[in-house]
Amino acid sequence: MLTDEMRKRHDSKEEKYLSSRTSMRDSSSRGQTKTGRLPKPIVLIIGAALLFGFVYYGPFDFLSLSSNTHYVIIIDAGSTGSRIHVFTLKEAGSDGYKLIKDDFYPLEPGLSSYGKDPKQAAQSLKPLLDFAHQKVPVDSHHHTVVKVKATAGLRILSEEVASNILKEVEKFVQSNYKFKTLPQLAQIMDGTDEGLFAWISLNYFLDDWEPVPMKTAALDLGGGSFQLIFETESQEQLPVEAKSNVLTIPVAGMTRNVYVRSYLGMGLKEARKKLLKKIQIDGAEVLTSPCLPEKYEGDWEHGGASFKIQGSSSSSYENCLNSVEETFSGAITPINELLTKDLYAFSYIYDKAKDGGLVSGVEGSVVTVQDFARIAQDACRSQLINQRFQCLDTVYINYLFARAFKLPADFRMHVVKKVNGEEISWALGAAFKEMDERKLS
């Protein structure tokens, strides 16, 4: 369960400034000599230090440098790769923690690719853990928590295979590093937590923690699943089957009703697997789809297996959309309240929007549902061999928005990779939770 510590300080700039001025006056009066004056060289040094600190850190950050520094290591073991976040956090009094730095390093493939060799799966994390070893000061290693949280990639493996991988990961970390290892060092994270933590991270970076209903919704499209999260203001108006997905939790100083749903098996990579149909060609099994370029032939690796894939003579936008509709019809219940939310879409949604020319910089831009329909039509018409999945992927994303959730063509959303310079991920929310549990233990 989340606690009130999971929030960002939201004092106004004026309050922070006045607070810092008061603090400076108090400390100045305490530090005077008996004559009431400091030697001129010391005054100049202190003045320069204060100026540098205020310019570089800002009033609040600079004055909080004396706070305790904590490190939390989170490894996001996803379906397509593993990514490490080494978070540097400072205590912010009653407001929980302030993120100072996120050292990030990704690698591929993911743990699920090593289903037949659990030891190799564990050893694949060595570059990430070595990276953390360098980023965390040596004298902080023994009390720096490391957690490996696997998502949809391991959820879709058999329980035995996934368990063997996680056991080997725990052994590897404990045998080779001096980080603090708690029970369940490596575990499969529930999709609900994944979505909730991503929403918390998003609101943190948006500084959207005022004690009023939050208007922000998050849609995080991963490889194995996707998550939809928002605070509901009218729980009674939700579809009957959606009400069980509402959690009542304390966030940012008040109890909130948060809708969070994880759609396992509907991430982008899993959608591809479902849309690629098996056929026999010259006695060999091949996967094909009208969503692939007609003249394409090649290999595709997914979940530790390799497949032969090729295009279809029926390749077109209309046929691809029909295939998606037939495959996923009825899997998603539309939620009218989503129309009132400020939707942020990220992960693979950003990647595919960028490939289609909808967004450029990492901060993304505001796009419409119709924009996704347009780049999907363009991709299917272009038949580009070097973008073999662009038609399939963008048609699927457009299907989610336009037909599954029934968002109007002119519905506007933020498609982003970063917010205020920080990459959106569930890992920061998970780090806050680890710090809260450490306080309570």
Side-chain angles (χ1 to χ4, degrees):
M1 182 62 67
L2 300 175
T3 73
D4 290 346
E5 300 296 341
M6 284 189 181
R7 55 188 178 168
K8 186 175 186 289
R9 186 179 183 92
H10 55 264
D11 294 341
S12 67
K13 292 182 179 178
E14 291 78 10
E15 288 173 322
K16 292 177 184 177
Y17 177 72
L18 290 174
S19 175
S20 66
R21 289 291 298 271
T22 301
S23 176
M24 286 173 60
R25 286 198 299 269
D26 292 346
S27 62
S28 176
S29 63
R30 289 194 299 270
Q32 288 181 345
T33 63
K34 292 182 180 180
T35 63
R37 293 180 179 275
L38 291 171
K40 189 173 182 179
I42 295 178
V43 171
L44 292 174
I45 292 171
I46 293 174
L50 288 172
L51 178 61
F52 174 79
F54 269 66
V55 170
Y56 188 77
Y57 293 102
F60 172 71
D61 290 352
F62 177 62
L63 293 172
S64 68
L65 288 178
S66 60
S67 301
N68 290 332
T69 300
H70 303 276
Y71 302 92
V72 180
I73 300 169
I74 302 290
I75 294 181
D76 169 4
S79 58
T80 57
S82 296
R83 299 161 284 273
I84 194 167
H85 295 262
V86 183
F87 293 111
T88 304
L89 305 172
K90 283 189 177 292
E91 294 184 18
S94 61
D95 286 328
Y97 305 96
K98 179 176 179 61
L99 174 66
I100 302 301
K101 188 168 57 169
D102 173 9
D103 288 304
F104 173 76
Y105 181 53
L107 61 74
E108 293 182 352
L111 292 180
S112 58
S113 298
Y114 300 94
K116 296 179 180 179
D117 192 346
K119 290 184 182 295
Q120 184 61 34
Q123 292 170 5
S124 73
L125 299 180
K126 186 177 186 302
L128 301 185
L129 291 160
D130 288 348
F131 175 80
H133 184 274
Q134 296 174 356
K135 293 298 180 180
V136 178
V138 174
D139 58 358
S140 295
H141 282 199
H142 65 287
H143 54 78
T144 294
V145 172
V146 56
K147 283 294 181 80
V148 179
K149 293 184 176 290
T151 55
L154 258 63
R155 288 185 210 131
I156 61 179
L157 296 180
S158 71
E159 184 176 347
E160 180 182 3
V161 171
S163 177
N164 289 338
I165 289 176
L166 295 175
K167 287 177 182 177
E168 290 299 330
V169 168
E170 290 195 352
K171 291 178 185 177
F172 183 76
V173 176
Q174 293 169 342
S175 300
N176 294 280
Y177 300 90
K178 296 182 178 180
F179 298 123
K180 186 174 183 177
T181 55
L182 301 175
Q184 292 187 309
L185 180 161
Q187 62 183 149
I188 296 176
M189 184 168 61
D190 183 83
T192 298
D193 284 343
E194 182 180 355
L196 192 57
F197 292 155
W199 183 73
I200 285 171
S201 298
L202 172 63
N203 281 284
Y204 178 95
F205 296 136
L206 290 170
D207 199 10
D208 188 17
W209 288 124
E210 297 301 323
V212 296
M214 296 173 176
K215 294 294 185 181
T216 305
L219 201 160
D220 180 4
L221 178 62
S225 65
F226 78 84
Q227 285 68 236
L228 174 67
I229 318 95
F230 60 87
E231 181 180 3
T232 177
E233 298 177 58
S234 53
Q235 191 170 349
E236 299 77 12
Q237 301 300 316
L238 290 173
V240 174
E241 58 268 42
K243 291 182 180 180
S244 62
N245 297 113
V246 176
L247 303 179
T248 300
I249 58 173
V251 179
M254 65 180 292
T255 299
R256 301 176 185 272
N257 295 317
V258 181
Y259 177 88
V260 52
R261 173 72 189 275
S262 179
Y263 294 86
L264 182 61
M266 294 190 69
L268 196 64
K269 296 295 183 70
E270 282 298 296
R272 289 177 184 176
K273 184 177 180 181
K274 289 179 172 66
L275 290 167
L276 292 168
K277 309 301 184 183
K278 295 178 181 179
I279 62 172
Q280 293 287 328
I281 297 180
D282 297 330
E285 186 176 271
V286 176
L287 302 183
T288 188
S289 167
C291 300
L292 294 176
E294 180 177 353
K295 297 182 179 179
Y296 178 78
E297 292 185 8
D299 298 317
W300 178 55
E301 293 187 0
H302 176 65
S306 182
F307 306 92
K308 292 287 184 182
I309 62 174
Q310 71 175 49
S312 167
S313 59
S314 63
S315 175
S316 71
Y317 170 78
E318 291 77 13
N319 289 335
C320 179
L321 183 56
N322 288 337
S323 176
V324 174
E325 181 87 63
E326 291 171 2
T327 303
F328 296 101
S329 179
I332 294 174
T333 300
I335 300 175
N336 291 334
E337 191 176 358
L338 192 56
L339 297 172
T340 69
K341 299 300 180 181
D342 194 15
L343 178 61
Y344 281 76
F346 43 96
S347 298
Y348 275 121
I349 294 175
Y350 170 86
D351 294 339
K352 293 302 165 179
K354 183 179 179 183
D355 291 343
L358 279 186
V359 299
S360 53
V362 292
E363 297 285 342
S365 60
V366 175
V367 304
T368 66
V369 171
Q370 181 59 40
D371 289 330
F372 273 101
R374 176 175 55 79
I375 65 169
Q377 291 165 4
D378 290 344
C380 296
R381 183 171 52 249
S382 299
Q383 298 273 317
L384 296 177
I385 300 298
N386 62 345
Q387 287 190 317
R388 58 180 180 168
F389 284 121
Q390 183 69 1
C391 169
L392 183 154
D393 293 344
T394 50
V395 169
Y396 177 64
I397 292 171
N398 182 58
Y399 166 81
L400 293 179
F401 290 137
R403 300 205 178 184
F405 288 113
K406 297 189 183 304
L407 300 176
D410 61 353
F411 182 84
R412 295 161 63 83
M413 71 191 84
H414 304 266
V415 175
V416 298
K417 183 178 180 68
K418 293 186 176 183
V419 169
N420 292 327
E422 300 289 346
E423 185 160 350
I424 304 170
S425 131
W426 54 261
L428 180 61
F432 284 156
K433 183 174 185 290
E434 292 302 326
M435 289 302 299
D436 285 346
E437 291 182 347
R438 186 188 306 184
K439 268 191 173 182
L440 296 173
S441 63

